[in-house]
């Protein structure tokens, strides 16, 4: 039943009934109070719903970032584990007798080349003496074209210093060292082990050099948006590999770092809301340490991007709130006119109050009404863009006769049993296929309508388009 039909039926109730001025004033005040209550209730519920959707969007982004950080940790573990196995194998076959040969000997060179061939993500294996000077190396041509200048100019051999040997490296210990960019060469990650020969710890170190671009290639396959960033760090805050806005800062050291406990190299695992030092954008960042290694990963998304869809929904909700407010005000104006006729206004006022409460309790995408035979008497036009059906095509039909999809016979039986019992229902779900072939998922709420004598007059309620919610759930489940 529309606002217009309400006023017309009330207006046909008979001749004006004289009423005391004080009584008419009280009725007007009641109408104004109900109007204000309806406006505040509807817009309050819409506002709460909008803010709840915002919180849910941010929470979902935090969960996804945290899950993605676990994927990055697993990837780093696999990469570093493969390097360490190769170094362990090389250190087991290199003996002190081999190391007595002049640097560049064929025997050691063959061993290094053999193990380098098992590491597609490394471009160099080398041996350094106790002072860090390189004595033997094997360099791969894979990926060296990504280095600036001469391909061999950025190898560890060309630098003259490996920078991989540290006195504290003991037997069985793998050491990871990030080499910052120098002389136009890219940053590198050096993983090293001390060489043992028959249980005797030798001063020499065998090391592998991994290209950060190996990590970046993988990171670029991950969806973090234009404002998001994915990165690999060492526990001193040195940025080793990154995508997004952070890529321009590879080789820089960030101190203090939000993921590190001040004054230590301990990583605080978890999700933080931070402001980027690079572009001052607000980010949701997840940090996670790589177990057993002096590395940690970070990944996150820009808050602006996370909330972009929410802002569109908020604008739509604000428009709905304005529409409902105008409808309430218009109905109040009509009721004020009818109030001058006397006591006949009381019936329309009670009906109006019930309608306000029903619509306020379920403010949503569209409204509908059915008569006592459960046939539609009203369908708001907003339904058309969500269902693909003209609003007028519902009139005179039951819901089953409009052919909603996705319902089993059991679900229909349960729903119709609820209707026969004249009970309210919520979240009755089905879907429809639009003319363009897209699927829209719909949720329906309804409450029974009773007249003053308690007789059942039908149902009225609202509909929600929950397509975005269903699709988000399907993405999380895959």
């Amino acid at each position: 039943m529309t606002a217009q039909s309400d006023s017309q039926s009330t207006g046909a109730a008979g001749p004006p009934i004289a009423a005391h001025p004080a009584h008419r004033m009280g009725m007007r005040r009641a109408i104004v109070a109900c109007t204000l209550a309806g406006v505040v209730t509807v817009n309050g519920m819409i506002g709460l719903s909008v803010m709840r959707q915002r919180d849910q969007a941010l929470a979902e982004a935090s969960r996804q970032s945290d899950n993605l950080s676990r994927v990055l940790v697993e990837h780093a573990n696999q990469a570093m584990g493969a390097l360490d196995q190769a170094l362990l194998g090389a250190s087991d076959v290199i003996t002190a007798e081999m190391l007595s040969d002049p640097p560049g000997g064929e025997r050691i060179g063959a061993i290094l080349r053999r193990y380098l061939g098992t590491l597609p993500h490394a471009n160099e294996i080398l041996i350094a003496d106790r002072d860090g000077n390189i004595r033997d190396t094997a360099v791969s041509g894979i990926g060296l074209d990504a280095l600036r200048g001469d391909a061999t100019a950025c190898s560890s051999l060309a630098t003259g210093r490996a920078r991989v040997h540290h006195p504290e490296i003991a037997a069985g210990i793998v050491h990871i060292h990030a080499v910052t960019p120098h002389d136009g060469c890219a940053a590198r990650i050096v993983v090293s082990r001390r060489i043992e020969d028959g249980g005797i710890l030798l001063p020499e170190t065998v090391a592998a050099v991994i290209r950060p671009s190996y990590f970046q290639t993988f990171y670029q396959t991950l969806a973090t948006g234009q404002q998001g960033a994915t990165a690999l760090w060492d526990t001193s805050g040195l940025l080793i590999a990154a995508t997004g806005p952070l890529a321009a800062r590879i080789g820089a050291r960030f101190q203090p770092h939000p993921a590190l406990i001040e004054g230590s190299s301990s990583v605080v695992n978890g999700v933080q809301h931070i402001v980027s030092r690079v572009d001052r954008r607000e980010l949701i960042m997840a940090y996670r340490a790589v177990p057993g290694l002096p590395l940690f990963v970070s990944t996150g998304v820009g808050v602006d991007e996370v909330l972009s869809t929410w802002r569109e929904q908020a604008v739509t909700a604000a428009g709905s709130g304005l529409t409902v407010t105008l409808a309430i005000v218009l109905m109040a104006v009509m009721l004020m006119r009818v109030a001058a006729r006397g006591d006949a206004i009381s019936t329309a006022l009670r009906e109006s109050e019930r309608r306000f409460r029903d619509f306020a309790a379920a403010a949503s995408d569209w409204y509908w009404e059915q008569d006592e035979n459960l046939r539609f008497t009203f369908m708001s036009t907003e339904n058309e863009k969500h269902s693909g059906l003209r609003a007028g095509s519902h009139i005179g039909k039951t819901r089953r006769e409009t052919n909603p999809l996705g319902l089993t016979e059991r679900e229909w039986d349960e729903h119709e049993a609820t209707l026969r019992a004249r009970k309210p229902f919520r979240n009755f779900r089905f879907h429809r296929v639009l003319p363009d072939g897209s699927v829209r998922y719909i949720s329906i709420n309804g409450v029974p309508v009773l007249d003053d004598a308690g007789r059942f007059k039908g149902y009225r309620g609202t509909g929600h388009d929950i397509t975005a919610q269903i699709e988000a759930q399907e993405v999380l489940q895959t």
Side-chain angles (χ1 to χ4, degrees):
M1 183 179 297
T2 65
Q4 184 178 3
S5 62
D6 279 347
S7 62
Q8 291 173 344
S9 61
T10 304
I17 300 175
H20 192 277
H23 178 63
R24 290 199 299 270
M25 182 62 69
M27 295 175 68
R28 291 190 181 98
R29 288 175 178 173
I31 294 172
V32 171
C34 289
T35 300
L36 291 176
V39 169
V40 171
T41 300
V42 169
N43 287 281
M45 292 181 66
I46 290 176
L48 289 175
S49 176
V50 167
M51 295 310 298
R52 184 165 55 248
Q53 290 173 352
R54 180 184 186 275
D55 293 341
Q56 290 173 347
L58 293 174
E60 182 60 29
S62 297
R63 284 193 295 270
Q64 290 182 357
S65 294
D66 188 54
N67 290 339
L68 194 55
S69 71
R70 299 175 189 273
V71 174
L72 299 179
V73 166
E74 180 63 24
H75 178 260
N77 265 326
Q78 292 177 354
M80 294 304 176
L83 281 175
D84 189 37
Q85 286 299 313
L87 295 180
L88 188 61
S91 65
D92 284 345
V93 298
I94 296 174
T95 64
E97 185 265 332
M98 291 181 184
L99 292 171
S100 65
D101 290 347
E106 184 57 34
R107 289 188 297 173
I108 292 181
I111 292 171
L112 296 182
R113 286 191 296 274
R114 183 176 72 200
Y115 281 98
L116 180 61
T118 67
L119 300 172
H121 53 298
N123 67 304
E124 185 175 5
I125 288 187
L126 56 89
I127 296 176
D129 62 20
R130 69 172 67 247
D131 297 320
N133 296 311
I134 293 179
R135 55 154 290 146
D136 293 281
T137 184
V139 180
S140 169
I142 299 176
L144 286 181
D145 55 347
L147 300 174
R148 205 165 72 193
D150 182 15
T152 59
C154 291
S155 71
S156 297
L157 182 60
T159 67
R161 302 282 291 181
R163 299 179 62 193
V164 297
H165 176 72
H166 290 263
E168 66 269 20
I169 298 180
I173 300 296
V174 60
H175 178 79
I176 297 178
H177 176 69
V179 180
T180 57
H182 62 90
D183 300 329
C185 299
R188 295 166 295 152
I189 306 170
V190 181
V191 183
S192 57
R193 271 185 176 273
R194 289 285 292 276
I195 298 176
E196 287 186 88
D197 183 9
I200 299 175
L201 189 63
L202 302 180
E204 285 78 11
T205 303
V206 61
V209 180
I210 186 172
R211 295 172 287 109
S213 58
Y214 166 74
F215 293 98
Q216 288 174 252
T217 299
F218 175 70
Y219 294 169
Q220 287 168 353
T221 65
L222 307 176
T224 56
Q226 294 182 347
Q227 299 176 6
T230 301
L232 177 69
W233 313 75
D234 75 4
T235 50
S236 72
L238 179 68
L239 180 58
I240 299 172
T243 60
L246 279 175
R249 299 293 299 277
I250 293 175
R253 182 170 278 107
F254 288 68
Q255 292 180 335
H257 194 289
L260 298 174
I261 298 175
E262 189 171 356
S264 75
S265 59
S266 299
V267 178
V268 180
N269 291 333
V271 179
Q272 301 181 31
H273 285 233
I274 67 167
V275 176
S276 170
R277 299 183 192 179
V278 177
D279 53 16
R280 309 308 300 170
R281 294 182 184 273
E282 187 179 358
L283 302 173
I284 299 174
M285 294 296 294
Y287 299 100
R288 189 162 297 277
V290 181
L293 301 175
L295 300 171
F296 67 95
V297 298
S298 68
T299 184
V301 293
V303 172
D304 284 345
E305 286 187 312
V306 171
L307 296 181
S308 60
T309 300
W310 169 81
R311 289 191 182 95
E312 295 175 0
Q313 295 172 343
V315 170
T316 301
S320 300
L322 179 60
T323 301
V324 174
T325 298
L326 292 175
I328 292 174
V329 171
L330 179 60
M331 183 168 290
V333 170
M334 290 189 293
L335 290 176
M336 291 286 281
R337 292 177 178 176
V338 175
R341 298 187 177 186
D343 293 340
I345 189 63
S346 59
T347 300
L349 180 58
R350 286 193 295 271
E351 173 62 17
S352 175
E353 290 172 346
R354 284 197 296 267
R355 191 167 186 174
F356 289 161
R357 287 195 297 270
D358 292 343
F359 284 161
S364 188
D365 294 327
W366 66 88
Y367 308 105
W368 56 268
E369 292 182 357
Q370 292 175 327
D371 61 18
E372 61 270 25
N373 297 316
L374 304 180
R375 296 188 178 277
F376 285 104
T377 59
F378 173 76
M379 176 66 69
S380 63
T381 57
E382 290 82 1
N383 169 73
E384 296 181 10
K385 66 181 180 181
H386 300 285
S387 69
L389 300 176
R390 292 186 300 104
S393 67
H394 289 76
I395 306 304
K397 298 180 180 178
T398 65
R399 194 176 307 280
R400 185 190 279 261
E401 289 172 349
T402 65
N403 299 319
L405 304 177
L407 292 166
T408 64
E409 196 59 32
R410 179 179 178 181
E411 289 171 328
W412 271 119
D413 291 341
E414 292 175 351
H415 177 63
E416 291 174 346
T418 300
L419 300 181
R420 287 193 296 273
R422 310 310 189 214
K423 294 181 179 180
F425 63 91
R426 292 186 62 81
N427 201 23
F428 178 60
R429 293 186 176 189
F430 54 87
H431 67 265
R432 294 192 185 278
V433 178
L434 271 59
D436 63 3
S438 61
V439 178
R440 308 302 295 180
Y441 294 89
I442 292 172
S443 173
I444 300 296
N445 301 327
V447 294
V449 179
L450 307 177
D451 64 14
D452 291 341
R455 291 185 293 268
F456 175 71
K457 302 299 291 182
Y459 273 85
R460 67 166 61 105
T462 60
H464 303 251
D465 188 331
I466 59 171
T467 303
Q469 174 186 337
I470 297 298
E471 291 176 348
Q473 291 173 352
E474 291 175 351
V475 169
L476 291 176
Q477 292 171 0
T478 57

